[in-house]
Amino acid sequence: MPRFYATAFQSTHVALTQQTRQATLGLYRSLLRSSKKYEQNDKIKNIIQQKFRANRHITSRPKVLELLSEANKV
């Protein structure tokens, strides 16, 4: 029976990971689209890319959600 619980947890974990990934990519694309509205859009685009690349290695879901929340405030 423990195998079923592990499978259920694993599928929930995969779903959460996919949701987080979709939210992250959606925010990234949205920020890049928004940067086109400004004169210095190349500079803004580079800053956005640098910030996302710098945090690319973070795998902790709470930390990722914190970063997404921070980015949404901008």
Side-chain angles (χ1 to χ4, degrees), residues 6-29:
T7 304
F9 175 75
Q10 202 171 33
S11 63
T12 303
H13 179 68
V14 169
L16 288 174
T17 302
Q18 289 173 345
Q19 289 174 352
T20 306
R21 183 175 189 275
Q22 288 175 346
T24 304
L25 290 174
L27 177 64
Y28 179 73
R29 290 180 186 126

Side-chain angles (χ1 to χ4, degrees), residues 23-74:
T24 304
L25 290 174
L27 177 64
Y28 179 73
R29 290 180 186 126
S30 175
L31 288 170
L32 289 178
R33 277 193 300 268
S34 296
S35 72
K36 293 178 182 179
K37 297 176 185 177
Y38 301 97
E39 285 182 28
Q40 298 179 337
N41 65 339
D42 288 335
K43 184 176 181 179
I44 295 170
K45 180 181 172 184
N46 287 335
I47 292 170
I48 293 168
Q49 290 173 335
Q50 287 174 356
K51 294 279 188 179
F52 273 81
R53 285 183 184 141
N55 294 311
R56 178 182 204 163
H57 66 281
I58 296 175
T59 57
S60 167
R61 190 172 197 285
K63 181 64 177 172
V64 170
L65 293 176
E66 179 185 326
L67 290 167
L68 287 173
S69 175
E70 181 183 322
N72 276 319
K73 291 178 185 176
V74 175

